[in-house]
Amino acid sequence: MSDTELNAHAVRLSGTSLRTLAETGDDRSQALILSVAGLEFDATKQCLDEAALEALFARARASGLESKRDALLSGEIVNATENRPALHMAYREGGDLVGSDAAALVARTQAETREFAERVRSGDYAPSGVPISRVVNIGIGGSDLGPRLVADALADHADGGPELRFVASLDPSDLKHAVAGADPAAILFIVASKSFSTQETLMSGEAARDWLAGHVGATRAGAHFAAASAAPEKAKAFGIDPSMVFDFPDWVGGRYSVWSAVGLALEIGLGPSVFQAFREGAREMDKHFATAPLERNMPVLKGLIDVWNRIGMGYPARCVAAYSARLGKLADYFQQLEMESLGKSVTVDGQPGSTPGGALVWGGNGTEIQHSFFQWLHQGGDVVPVDFIGVARHFSSSDPRERALAANMAAQGAALLDGRKVDPATEPDLASHKSMPGNRPSATLLLDDLTPATFGALIALHEHKVFVESVLYDINPFDQWGVELGKVLTKGILDGDISSYDASTKALLARTGLISG
Ligand SMILES: O=P(O)(O)OC[C@H]1O[C@](O)(CO)[C@@H](O)[C@@H]1O
């Protein structure tokens, strides 16, 4: 099915209000509400009827979604430009899904991180004679956003353990704040980098080592550093003790790496059993994705709806509004997961793509963003679908604040759907200002409760729905060549070799003194 056909369905539906669609009955609702692994996905506020939905599933089948999903899960080379599979699911106890070689490797590395985490947590690992009370993860992109998100999301479930802090920025202030107030002798730094060649991470790692050496001495400082990397030799060359280098294979993509040794800070800070429950929740979603029929498959439905909004309806963006203080970083995480995976318009075969790739993703913490940029969503000239992500338990909580949180979320979805028509006869001056167009689609994703398992399922749902989208866009979601150019040009600037740069950049560098003009 072509995009023209999707567009034709969108045109056909353009005369039907979301209110009417939402009232069209049980069959539509049953098709658009799915529950699995402690999550409920409700897409009844989307501009979709059964015919359009059928067209989407037909397109998914015509794109070979089922066989491509099976190829992904059985460890075939799905990342052709880097000639490797994408097997992050293996870290979710997925031996039967991903094959025994991968499972054995995963079992070894999981045993190593677990043992080290337990040693740190018990105080047995105390390189300067005092137990570790703070763990500072130094990393960027997937080596930062995953651990940072999960640490925050599952903070209420932490089973004792050292405090977790994160350094991603090269701004020295980031490291300064991450160590502030801690006894240097009680800090463990984890340098997390898949490639172990990321400039920001290595420079911050060196700065942390120098800082620590100034407090505990150069000889002892090394024992305060661990690494998580798919390039263990580079980590060792950097000076990390080999026994403290926790490896993972290169078939774990950076933005999918939180399940691997990159989650070491979490295993220490939240506890191995919490980290394990997080992985098991994801595992449940993996099994569902692998086996459920397309029409009852949550990642498939979610992916197709995002394709529909992007290609059928032509919306360029999606907003993620999370109604939980613990999920304020979710939009940032999804932003990398989706935009680094789907921000491409070259097909798997290297041809110009017929679609623009995935949507721009942005958002934040629901109640806060209601009071900042939601105005734009309600009355701005662009339409951006919203994903409301909340906690089902809050709706019937005995705590009025939790019920109010849930009510706010439900109210925003209703307001976007219906809008408001203020009668000029009653408010002649303000009617047009107060009226809202409505017909703005949203979806609601409820976690039964925010637990390690439901949260793991939520993340896995999004990983798989990104894969579904990539199949329909015919792009490779596992590479990220677009970010390379900036890295090369930064090196040129720092090396002082900017002869081939544009006049504006040369002038900027000369003016600011980074390079003498
Ligand atoms: O883990 P690494 O290799 O330091 O990379 C960090 C991040 O940099 C990127 O390569 C983008 O520059 C991401 O894909 C990755 O998550």
Side-chain angles (χ1 to χ4, degrees), residues 238-261:
F238 180 83
I240 310 268
D241 187 291
S243 67
M244 301 279 278
V245 176
F246 298 93
D247 64 316
F248 59 95
D250 67 3
W251 41 250
V252 176
R255 53 195 171 274
Y256 301 88
S257 64
V258 67
W259 317 97
S260 73

Side-chain angles (χ1 to χ4, degrees), residues 140-143 192-196 198 201 254-255 336 340 480 483 487:
I140 200 162
S143 299
S193 174
K194 176 178 175 179
S195 61
F196 228 85
T198 302
T201 301
R255 53 195 171 274
Q336 184 196 17
E340 202 167 59
Q480 59 282 321
V483 295
K487 296 181 188 177

Side-chain angles (χ1 to χ4, degrees), residues 263-473:
L264 178 61
L266 301 169
E267 210 161 357
I268 298 172
L270 300 177
S273 57
V274 174
F275 193 52
Q276 179 61 12
F278 168 62
R279 293 200 279 219
E280 278 166 13
R283 161 88 174 132
E284 217 180 315
M285 187 57 73
D286 292 341
K287 283 197 284 186
H288 166 78
F289 179 53
T291 56
L294 296 194
E295 278 78 2
R296 305 306 299 159
N297 196 309
M298 192 184 282
V300 173
L301 180 64
K302 172 75 176 110
L304 292 183
I305 284 171
D306 288 348
V307 168
W308 167 252
N309 281 325
R310 183 78 171 117
I311 305 302
M313 304 296 288
Y315 301 141
R318 196 173 96 257
C319 175
V320 175
Y323 281 73
S324 159
R326 300 269 59 82
L327 298 184
K329 296 186 173 73
L330 195 59
D332 293 352
Y333 182 82
F334 287 163
Q335 198 167 56
Q336 184 196 17
L337 176 63
E338 301 194 26
M339 294 176 74
E340 202 167 59
S341 300
L342 301 173
K344 296 158 197 172
S345 37
V346 174
T347 67
V348 169
D349 293 336
Q351 302 304 313
S354 63
T355 77
L360 179 161
V361 178
W362 105 109
N365 196 306
T367 35
E368 275 117 281
I369 60 181
Q370 267 178 229
H371 296 279
S372 59
F373 62 71
F374 260 48
Q375 165 64 34
W376 186 93
L377 291 170
H378 287 294
Q379 286 187 311
D382 295 288
V383 175
V384 169
V386 181
D387 278 356
F388 293 102
I389 300 185
V391 175
R393 183 184 57 76
H394 289 168
F395 286 83
S396 54
S397 169
S398 56
D399 186 327
R401 294 168 302 170
E402 290 183 334
R403 284 204 309 281
L405 192 59
N408 265 284
M409 184 178 72
Q412 290 297 323
L416 286 166
L417 182 145
D418 255 346
R420 177 165 65 168
K421 182 93 196 109
V422 176
D423 186 354
T426 52
E427 292 200 69
D429 293 339
L430 289 178
S432 58
H433 295 278
K434 287 186 170 181
S435 292
M436 294 154 68
N439 265 332
R440 302 194 162 192
S442 65
T444 310
L445 240 168
L446 295 179
L447 290 74
D448 286 351
D449 199 356
L450 178 54
T451 67
T454 57
F455 188 63
L458 179 73
I459 301 301
L461 163 67
H462 283 78
E463 289 177 353
H464 294 319
K465 82 95 193 172
V466 164
F467 179 75
V468 170
E469 282 182 88
S470 77
V471 170
L472 275 90
Y473 301 144

Side-chain angles (χ1 to χ4, degrees), residues 170-256:
L170 268 177
D171 185 336
S173 172
D174 210 14
L175 175 60
K176 184 177 147 196
H177 283 273
V179 298
D183 173 2
I187 297 182
L188 174 73
F189 290 99
I190 299 175
V191 185
S193 174
K194 176 178 175 179
S195 61
F196 228 85
S197 54
T198 302
Q199 183 203 46
E200 292 89 336
T201 301
L202 298 190
M203 289 180 85
S204 293
E206 278 163 14
R209 194 162 53 191
D210 291 347
W211 174 83
L212 196 64
H215 288 87
V216 301
T219 326
R220 197 170 275 170
H224 288 262
F225 279 79
S229 184
E233 294 312 318
K234 286 188 184 165
K236 290 170 199 165
F238 180 83
I240 310 268
D241 187 291
S243 67
M244 301 279 278
V245 176
F246 298 93
D247 64 316
F248 59 95
D250 67 3
W251 41 250
V252 176
R255 53 195 171 274
Y256 301 88

